[in-house]
């Protein structure tokens, strides 16, 4: 396994739409393992492939306290969502910036696991927010896009000054 470099705002590769994963081979397994190692090394709870400059519909999540509940989202879509909740978010690609983002309180996810097996998952609260945050990454969208233009500008300035990387997704 190897640590990958996380790219930061305003890197244009964070804004590109990603390509579907069609081959579930050893190379993909190694990429997923690298992503988990990278995410845990910076205390993140989620990481999407574009954040390490890989343009694939692939993201990983682990919101558990003991880092034992791994979730792999490949070619994910939200098939249902309900309610609305505000939750403070951060992002490994936007270090030092945290703000409240409105998202669905509850979601139903349809995706494939690391072996290509399709699955569905219902989630709420932090996990639901994290799933929506990661799927946004796969569409070139970042959580600061939900903030006011002024806050977005402040975030951009803060990122250029902050090189410390911890927390977020
Ligand atoms: Zn993020």
């Amino acid at each position: 396994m190897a640590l990958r470099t996380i790219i930061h705002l305003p890197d244009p590769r964070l804004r590109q739409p990603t390509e579907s994963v069609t081959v579930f081979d050893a190379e993909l397994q190694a990429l997923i393992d690298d992503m988990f190692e990278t995410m845990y090394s910076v205390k993140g709870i989620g990481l999407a492939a574009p954040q390490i400059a890989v343009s694939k519909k692939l993201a990983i999540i682990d919101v558990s306290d003991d880092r034992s509940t791994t979730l792999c989202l490949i070619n994910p879509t939200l098939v249902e969502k309900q309610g609305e909740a505000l939750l403070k978010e951060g992002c490994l690609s936007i270090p030092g910036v945290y703000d409240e983002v409105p998202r669905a309180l509850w979601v139903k996810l349809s995706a494939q696991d690391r072996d290509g097996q399709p699955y569905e998952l219902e989630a709420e609260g932090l996990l639901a927010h994290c799933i929506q945050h990661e799927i946004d990454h796969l569409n070139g969208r970042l959580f600061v896009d939900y903030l006011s233009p002024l806050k977005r500008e402040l975030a951009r300035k803060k990122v250029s000054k902050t090189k410390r990387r911890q927390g977020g997704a």
Side-chain angles (χ1 to χ4, degrees), residues 31-52:
L31 170 64
I32 293 167
D33 289 341
D34 284 355
M35 286 175 67
F36 273 111
E37 192 182 359
T38 302
M39 178 182 79
Y40 290 140
S41 77
V42 289
K43 300 179 169 56
I45 58 173
L47 182 68
Q51 295 181 273
I52 55 164

Side-chain angles (χ1 to χ4, degrees), residues 9-59:
L9 190 79
D11 193 310
R13 290 171 292 182
L14 289 168
R15 295 303 194 174
Q16 286 167 358
T18 49
E19 290 182 10
S20 296
V21 175
T22 53
V23 181
F24 295 80
D25 58 2
E27 196 180 325
L28 181 73
Q29 305 308 316
L31 170 64
I32 293 167
D33 289 341
D34 284 355
M35 286 175 67
F36 273 111
E37 192 182 359
T38 302
M39 178 182 79
Y40 290 140
S41 77
V42 289
K43 300 179 169 56
I45 58 173
L47 182 68
Q51 295 181 273
I52 55 164
V54 173
S55 190
K56 286 187 192 316
K57 292 197 187 305
L58 159 64

